[in-house]
């Protein structure tokens, strides 16, 4: 009698269901699928759209999503700059706004807005009490952020939020910055700075009698001393700032960068600019496809082995011809776990061939090492012909004079052969660097584990935007 599934008991039925369920079987994902998703940021696109849906909760989500996609503003600047009085936050905010072509919003600019009943109320309140109520300020900010230029070009909030209550209210309304910068300096420095502060009433630019005095006499003559600039008032504002900032910072745990303001303003600006032009680590699924380029002796093989060991990437050596390479990269472990390829392509033709076959690395690193360092690394290598043990006359010398006497040098480690290989690499490297426009160049002439940390950081984090 033939037994049915029920005759074999619960375990047999479960096994049969498992064998019939196609979702439990391993799936072969075509390499083009993850490449398309990564290249077009599909995960981030869906994540941003879902975030906006949950924040705004439109009655009809389809037109809302279409409108959101047509705006194409997921990556416009959304920056908050905070800092104590005289830390230079307004100057840095103005420079960033000009450089990024975005909108600068401050308490002063919000309450000065024309043709806005809310701004008129805020001005009346400020004239009477020298402050604006939290909810009125936030409603003003909401009104401004909905305007087309803020939607299209983004925004920078200068000194907002001022309190934890403001920060939490802003978050509940779905106003989420991507980068938060906090400027920091000793109070003694800030008090000294504040006493010399001057403001241009026409442009809003801020100057200083000691550190930043304008050369034009016309500007000098119209500069004014801002209200409240004396030591006691500055100390009071600093105390209030310190009391509030420690309660604001926990609201932005993963997007916060503290920059020392006790340095030249230009240095502060470039640190801030570098930060706001970086992308935060994405939660998107990511399969590393890493290309390591560099001259002979640059440490490519070691870095590839370290990546393979730590992240399970498939280490593909450089002695695989293109046909065999294609077969290897098409195997399931490479598709699922990613790969690290070193020493190939060697020239532009090979790079084009790889690209045309669909093998597009998403991280490319060039390791630069001076010629003298490469000579030191390679020309001093020796092998014991009896034991097969490998030595280096500087880093790993032989244990005895007897062993040293019988050591042999591989002919390919001669200075002439090394120079030929390095010349060949650098003859082609410029074209390769141009072909892989997002490549990251590293100094390979340092401790291998330091180099590995830089490579690891470049893989884990999203590629930085090129600074114009």
């Amino acid at each position: 009698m033939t037994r049915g599934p029920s005759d074999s008991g619960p375990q047999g039925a479960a096994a049969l269901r498992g064998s019939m369920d196609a979702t439990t079987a391993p799936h072969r994902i075509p390499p083009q699928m993850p490449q398309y998703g990564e290249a077009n940021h599909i995960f981030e696109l869906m994540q941003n759209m879902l975030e906006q849906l949950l924040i705004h909760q439109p009655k009809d989500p389809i037109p809302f999503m279409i409108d959101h996609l047509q705006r194409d503003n997921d990556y416009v600047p959304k920056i908050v700059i905070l800092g104590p009085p005289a830390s230079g936050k307004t100057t840095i905010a103005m420079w960033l706004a000009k450089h990024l072509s975005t909108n600068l919003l401050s308490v002063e600019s919000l309450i000065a807005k024309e043709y806005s009943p809310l701004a008129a109320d805020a001005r009346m309140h400020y004239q009477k009490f020298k402050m604006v109520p939290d909810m009125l300020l936030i409603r003003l900010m909401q009104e401004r952020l909905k305007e087309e230029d803020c939607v299209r070009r983004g925004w920078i909030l200068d000194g907002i939020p001022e309190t934890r209550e403001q920060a939490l209210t802003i978050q509940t309304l779905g106003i989420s910055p991507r980068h938060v910068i906090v400027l920091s300096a000793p109070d003694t420095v800030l008090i000294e700075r504040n006493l010399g502060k001057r403001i241009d009433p026409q442009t809003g630019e801020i100057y200083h009698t000691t550190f930043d005095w304008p050369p034009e006499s016309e500007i000098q003559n119209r500069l004014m001393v801002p209200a409240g600039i004396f030591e006691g008032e500055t100390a009071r504002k600093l105390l209030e700032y310190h009391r509030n900032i420690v309660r604001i910072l926990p609201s932005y745990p993963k997007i916060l960068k503290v920059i020392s303001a006790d340095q030249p303003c230009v240095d502060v600006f470039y640190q801030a600019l570098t930060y706001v032009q970086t992308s935060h680590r994405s939660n998107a699924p990511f399969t590393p496809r890493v290309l390591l380029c560099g001259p002979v002796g640059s440490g490519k093989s070691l870095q590839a082995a370290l990546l393979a060991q730590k992240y399970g990437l498939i280490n593909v050596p450089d002695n695989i011809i293109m046909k065999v390479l294609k077969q290897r990269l098409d195997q399931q472990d490479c598709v699922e776990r990613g790969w690290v390829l070193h020493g190939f392509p060697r020239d532009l033709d090979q790079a084009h061939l790889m690209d045309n076959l669909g093998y597009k690395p998403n991280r490319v690193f060039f390791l630069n090492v001076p010629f003298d360092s490469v000579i030191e690394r390679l020309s001093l290598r020796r092998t014991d012909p009896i034991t097969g043990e490998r030595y280096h006359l500087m880093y790993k010398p032989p244990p005895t004079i007897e062993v040293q006497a019988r050591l042999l040098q591989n002919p390919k480690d001669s200075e002439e052969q090394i120079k030929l290989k390095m010349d060949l690499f650098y003859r082609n490297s410029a074209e390769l660097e141009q072909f892989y426009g997002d490549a990251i160049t590293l100094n390979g002439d340092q401790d291998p584990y330091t180099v590995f940390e830089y490579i690891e950081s470049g893989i884990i984090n999203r590629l930085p935007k090129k600074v114009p």
Side-chain angles (χ1 to χ4, degrees):
M1 184 172 109
T2 304
R3 295 180 58 157
S6 59
D7 296 328
S8 57
Q11 292 182 342
L16 183 60
R17 282 196 302 273
S19 65
M20 294 176 64
D21 184 2
T23 60
T24 62
H27 295 284
R28 293 191 63 84
I29 303 171
Q32 296 82 2
M33 285 188 178
Q35 290 180 20
Y36 177 83
E38 290 168 15
N40 294 279
H41 306 292
I42 299 300
F43 182 92
E44 292 89 348
L45 186 71
M46 301 304 293
Q47 187 179 44
N48 288 333
M49 196 154 54
L50 178 60
E51 181 182 276
Q52 293 302 311
L53 280 171
L54 294 175
I55 289 171
H56 297 283
Q57 300 181 12
K59 291 182 180 179
D60 193 345
I62 302 301
F64 177 87
M65 287 190 288
I66 293 172
D67 181 60
H68 174 76
L69 292 172
Q70 288 175 337
R71 284 180 178 176
D72 190 26
N73 69 339
D74 282 337
Y75 299 102
V76 299
K78 295 181 179 179
I79 303 166
V80 166
I81 298 185
L82 303 173
S87 60
K89 62 180 179 297
T90 298
T91 300
I92 299 302
M94 290 174 68
W95 289 0
L96 285 175
K98 288 178 182 178
H99 191 91
L100 301 173
S101 298
T102 190
N103 300 282
L104 177 59
L105 281 65
S106 64
V107 175
E108 292 78 11
S109 68
L110 290 172
I111 66 176
K113 185 182 174 187
E114 298 180 349
Y115 312 115
S116 167
L118 285 175
D121 289 346
R123 283 194 296 273
M124 289 177 59
H125 206 96
Y126 189 80
Q127 288 168 1
K128 287 184 179 179
F129 305 104
K130 299 303 178 186
M131 54 86 67
V132 180
D134 285 356
M135 285 313 300
L136 181 56
L137 178 64
I138 290 169
R139 286 170 62 198
L140 263 175
M141 191 170 61
Q142 265 190 302
E143 180 183 71
R144 181 70 182 91
L145 294 180
K146 287 178 182 177
E147 294 180 7
E148 189 65 16
D149 59 341
C150 282
V151 172
R152 291 287 179 189
R153 295 191 288 116
W155 42 265
I156 297 175
L157 296 181
D158 173 15
I160 305 173
E162 299 172 324
T163 64
R164 176 170 172 77
E165 291 70 30
Q166 287 183 9
L168 295 177
T169 305
I170 288 170
Q171 285 182 329
T172 57
L173 294 174
I175 301 171
S176 302
R178 290 198 181 87
H179 300 89
V180 176
I181 295 171
V182 177
L183 303 183
S184 174
D187 285 358
T188 52
V189 172
L190 296 172
I191 290 172
E192 181 187 353
R193 276 192 193 176
N194 213 32
L195 295 177
K197 185 188 293 186
R198 299 295 183 267
I199 189 166
D200 185 340
Q202 288 189 14
T203 65
E205 292 276 359
I206 295 174
Y207 297 93
H208 194 278
T209 55
T210 303
F211 307 120
D212 185 22
W213 191 245
E216 301 88 351
S217 58
E218 182 184 353
I219 298 177
Q220 293 176 11
N221 293 333
R222 67 173 183 246
L223 294 183
M224 299 176 60
V225 179
I229 299 297
F230 55 89
E231 191 169 342
E233 180 65 14
T234 302
R236 185 192 67 79
K237 289 181 177 178
L238 284 170
L239 184 62
E240 183 180 0
Y241 169 81
H242 290 312
R243 189 183 298 121
N244 285 319
I245 194 66
V246 294
R247 302 179 65 238
I248 293 174
L249 298 188
S251 300
Y252 306 109
K254 296 182 180 179
I255 56 173
L256 177 71
K257 182 175 181 63
V258 178
I259 298 176
S260 170
D262 190 14
Q263 56 182 320
C265 209
V266 173
D267 294 343
V268 178
F269 168 69
Y270 278 109
Q271 289 178 42
L273 179 63
T274 300
Y275 176 61
V276 300
Q277 290 186 319
T278 58
S279 300
H280 297 298
R281 185 176 176 182
S282 170
N283 293 320
F286 179 69
T287 305
R289 301 185 300 278
V290 182
L291 198 59
L292 298 178
C293 302
V296 58
S298 61
K300 305 183 297 293
S301 302
L302 174 59
Q303 297 303 324
L306 292 173
L307 287 171
Q309 180 182 18
K310 183 164 184 178
Y311 291 102
L313 307 185
I314 306 305
N315 187 354
V316 185
D318 63 345
N319 57 358
I320 296 187
I321 316 279
M322 194 67 227
K323 183 177 179 181
V324 182
L325 178 66
K326 181 180 186 306
Q327 294 173 351
R328 185 66 189 92
L329 295 182
D330 282 343
Q331 291 182 19
Q332 192 68 11
D333 57 352
C334 281
V335 174
E336 291 180 352
R337 292 158 54 189
W339 43 262
V340 51
L341 179 62
H342 52 98
F344 190 94
R346 293 189 176 92
D347 55 41
L348 189 60
D349 290 337
Q350 291 179 347
H352 277 297
L353 181 59
M354 267 189 70
D355 192 72
N356 292 335
L357 291 173
Y359 304 113
K360 302 177 188 291
N362 47 25
R363 293 293 186 275
V364 179
F365 299 91
F366 281 84
L367 305 181
N368 281 343
V369 180
F371 176 72
D372 291 344
S373 296
V374 173
I375 291 295
E376 181 183 287
R377 289 182 182 184
L378 301 185
S379 66
L380 300 180
R381 296 192 300 193
R382 298 292 187 272
T383 304
D384 186 336
I386 295 178
T387 64
E389 185 75 20
R390 294 180 178 180
Y391 296 97
H392 191 281
L393 298 183
M394 181 177 291
Y395 305 134
K396 186 187 174 185
T400 65
I401 297 176
E402 180 186 0
V403 173
Q404 183 169 349
R406 66 175 184 245
L407 295 182
L408 299 176
Q409 181 188 44
N410 191 317
K412 71 177 184 180
D413 286 343
S414 67
E415 287 196 21
E416 295 77 12
Q417 288 297 315
I418 295 169
K419 188 175 187 305
L420 283 174
K421 289 180 180 179
M422 287 196 70
D423 288 344
L424 180 62
F425 170 79
Y426 281 115
R427 201 178 304 144
N428 295 310
S429 64
E431 290 182 329
L432 283 174
E433 287 188 48
Q434 188 174 5
F435 182 77
Y436 295 112
D438 289 329
I440 299 172
T441 301
L442 300 174
N443 174 18
D445 191 22
Q446 48 189 329
D447 180 78
Y449 293 97
T450 302
V451 177
F452 177 74
E453 287 176 3
Y454 282 116
I455 293 175
E456 184 179 34
S457 174
I459 293 172
I460 291 174
N461 298 306
R462 292 176 63 180
L463 288 172
K465 297 178 182 177
K466 299 288 184 181
V467 178

